[in-house]
Amino acid sequence: MDVPLLVIVVIATALAFDFTNGFHDTANAMATSIATGALKPKVAVAMSAVLNLVGAFLSVEVAKTISGGIVDDAKITPAVVFAGLVGAIVWNLVTWLVGLPSSSSHALFGGLIGATWIAAGGDAVHFAKVVEKVLIPALASPLIAGLIAMLATYLTYRLTVSADRRVVNSGFRVGQIVSAGLVSLAHGTNDAQKTMGIITLTLITAGMLPASAGPPVWVILCAAIAIALGTYFGGWRITHTLGKGLTSIEGPQGFAAQTSSAAVILTSSHLGFALSTTHVCSGGILGAGMGRKLAEVRWSVAGRMVLAWVMTLPAAAVVGALASEIASTGTAGVVIVALAGIAVAGGIYIASRRKPVTAESTVNQQIGSTDEPETFEVAA
Amino acid sequence: MNVNWFALAEVLVVGLGTVACVVILFATGIRGMSQRVVARAQGGTGSAGLTVAVSCFSACSLIVLYGLYLIVSH
């Protein structure tokens, strides 16, 4: 009974990845709304979780190929998928521990590339596709979103400078909530699909589903619930970095950043040039920071964030490759990788408890309180 | 390798245009609301401000609905 065990392990790992994807990306949609106090932290993650759940059911496009042509699909076996997922999860957890928003998609691609390379050789990896689908979008998305958000922030402040402050504050609060909701919904339709695609592909390769079958209902349900639970879990470390670490965010900036992110994500996915949600949202927040006069952008934090983006694919690839090396030796290898993965995840969780970042620390303090209690210092 | 630079430029232009529209509409709507608040505080009706606000926010809602449509149809 070699195959069924592997299939079960792959499905569990895929759902675990989906969970990390959820809490890693909560910040994309909700960081600015939380930081400005437009939404209470718990309310924000609950709203994002529900919208991710809804989004996972809404999409009719089935992710039949998970790799998008980056690796040779014909050479993917369940063991390769499993190893790739382990690589992606480990890197997602490491970046979460240090509070850096990195792309979950890049982690997944990286893991798959490393695992495929070891299992089927370098020829099975299409490097030109990697440049086209990963490298170029990674460079372009923060630039595009940042530029648009900068302009949007400038316009927002310019146009409302003479308006009544209370009207401005409550107005942008609503604007922020709506735009954050759109980002969450778009995220649910995209990212939950990846996990559904992986599980479906695994079931097909194991002969449990006919070729070119869509995901069964239970797969959609599991993937939707996993990403929603992950989102509700919060990922406060990354929310802290995006909402407070990069720049200080005011209501109108949050509105400008989120509106820009939502517009860029929707435009790009509609025109067939899929950009990373994480990169778009981070770029949008940076742009909003630059668009407000005298708003300080902490370039050291931004630099570390960019470093994490560059590292994501190769780092996940190395872990994926190692996992692939061991997992391809058979059932015992798969069990060893699974146990090692659980041990690493447990270790990272324990490490995170030593310097916890709570929901409360992601909200901006009242202006004037200089002794802001930082439970987690990103610059440390 | 086939990088679709045109699509990328298209994303920038369309994104920039859409965001500029939304932001201008939303900010104008807020100015309208603010105008109404000020007018009422001075004893006026503020209906001009309200009209501006309602039309701007309606246009914004339409854009948001179109965004929802894009998400659902994808």
Side-chain angles (χ1 to χ4, degrees):
Chain A
M1 294 299 278
D2 207 20
V3 172
L5 173 72
L6 189 54
V7 169
I8 292 164
V9 171
V10 171
I11 291 172
T13 318
L15 291 176
F17 169 73
D18 207 18
F19 183 81
T20 67
N21 193 344
F23 74 73
H24 216 275
D25 293 0
T26 313
N28 292 337
M30 291 302 168
T32 63
S33 307
I34 293 172
T36 60
L39 285 168
K40 294 230 181 314
K42 293 281 182 191
V43 176
V45 292
M47 174 179 148
S48 189
V50 169
L51 289 172
N52 267 286
L53 189 74
V54 173
F57 283 100
L58 275 183
S59 180
V60 289
E61 184 197 41
V62 177
K64 285 198 181 105
T65 102
I66 45 168
S67 71
I70 284 172
V71 294
D72 193 339
D73 285 351
K75 290 179 175 149
I76 291 184
T77 62
V80 169
V81 175
F82 168 67
L85 283 168
V86 171
I89 293 173
V90 168
W91 184 251
N92 259 358
L93 289 175
V94 169
T95 46
W96 165 71
L97 181 65
V98 293
L100 288 174
S102 62
S103 167
S104 297
S105 318
H106 281 199
L108 186 59
F109 288 149
L112 279 175
I113 289 171
T116 310
W117 196 331
I118 288 296
D123 295 344
V125 182
H126 303 151
F127 287 101
K129 280 275 180 196
V130 175
V131 174
E132 181 196 330
K133 295 228 173 186
V134 182
L135 219 56
I136 302 285
L139 287 172
S141 28
L143 286 177
I144 292 179
L147 198 70
I148 295 177
M150 199 162 79
L151 177 89
T153 306
Y154 175 77
L155 276 178
T156 307
Y157 276 95
R158 191 64 197 264
L159 289 170
T160 57
V161 71
S162 60
D164 185 86
R165 282 300 101 189
R166 268 175 316 175
V167 175
V168 169
N169 288 340
S170 57
F172 283 116
R173 186 163 298 172
V174 176
Q176 263 189 300
I177 295 170
V178 173
S179 51
L182 276 181
V183 175
S184 288
L185 198 63
H187 183 262
T189 49
N190 284 320
D191 281 26
Q193 281 287 307
K194 282 181 220 145
T195 305
M196 291 178 210
I198 289 171
I199 297 177
T200 309
L201 189 76
T202 309
L203 292 173
I204 292 172
T205 52
M208 295 165 79
L209 274 179
S212 78
V217 175
W218 66 268
V219 171
I220 299 175
L221 200 68
C222 288
I225 291 172
I227 201 162
L229 280 178
T231 306
Y232 187 69
F233 183 73
W236 304 118
R237 288 167 181 273
I238 298 169
T239 307
H240 184 283
T241 303
L242 275 180
K244 292 171 73 183
L246 276 176
T247 182
S248 58
I249 290 278
E250 290 182 349
Q253 284 173 293
F255 164 76
Q258 292 298 353
T259 307
S260 307
S261 303
V264 171
I265 291 166
L266 289 176
T267 314
S268 72
S269 64
H270 191 62
L271 295 175
F273 203 106
L275 304 175
S276 159
T277 313
T278 306
H279 297 169
V280 166
C281 293
S282 313
I285 291 171
L286 266 181
M290 289 188 281
R292 174 161 67 99
K293 244 185 180 174
L294 298 177
E296 170 199 14
V297 172
R298 292 185 196 94
W299 291 107
S300 61
V301 178
R304 246 194 320 280
M305 191 176 77
V306 171
L307 190 68
W309 292 352
V310 176
M311 291 285 294
T312 294
L313 197 139
V318 169
V319 182
L322 275 175
S324 181
E325 183 79 49
I326 302 167
S328 52
T329 57
T331 309
V334 170
V335 172
I336 289 170
V337 171
L339 290 177
I342 292 167
V344 169
I348 289 175
Y349 182 74
I350 291 165
S352 80
R353 300 316 300 163
R354 288 166 58 195
K355 264 190 177 182
V357 177
T358 58
E360 288 66 36
S361 67
T362 55
V363 184
N364 270 349
Q365 304 297 311
Q366 289 299 310
I367 297 155
S369 78
T370 45
D371 51 345
E372 183 179 307
E374 293 272 337
T375 47
F376 178 68
E377 182 51 66
V378 186
Chain B
M1 186 171 72
N2 174 31
V3 179
N4 197 345
W5 296 109
F6 180 72
L8 202 56
E10 215 176 6
V11 171
L12 177 64
V13 171
V14 176
L16 208 56
T18 319
V19 170
C21 285
V22 173
V23 167
I24 290 172
L25 281 172
F26 198 83
T28 312
I30 284 179
R31 280 164 70 122
M33 284 304 287
S34 153
Q35 209 181 320
R36 176 168 187 263
V37 169
V38 172
R40 283 174 76 93
Q42 290 165 351
T45 59
S47 58
L50 187 66
T51 315
V52 171
V54 168
S55 30
C56 285
F57 288 136
S58 314
C60 264
S61 314
L62 284 179
I63 296 176
V64 171
L65 286 177
Y66 182 65
L68 276 178
Y69 164 77
L70 283 183
I71 293 174
V72 173
S73 68
H74 227 272

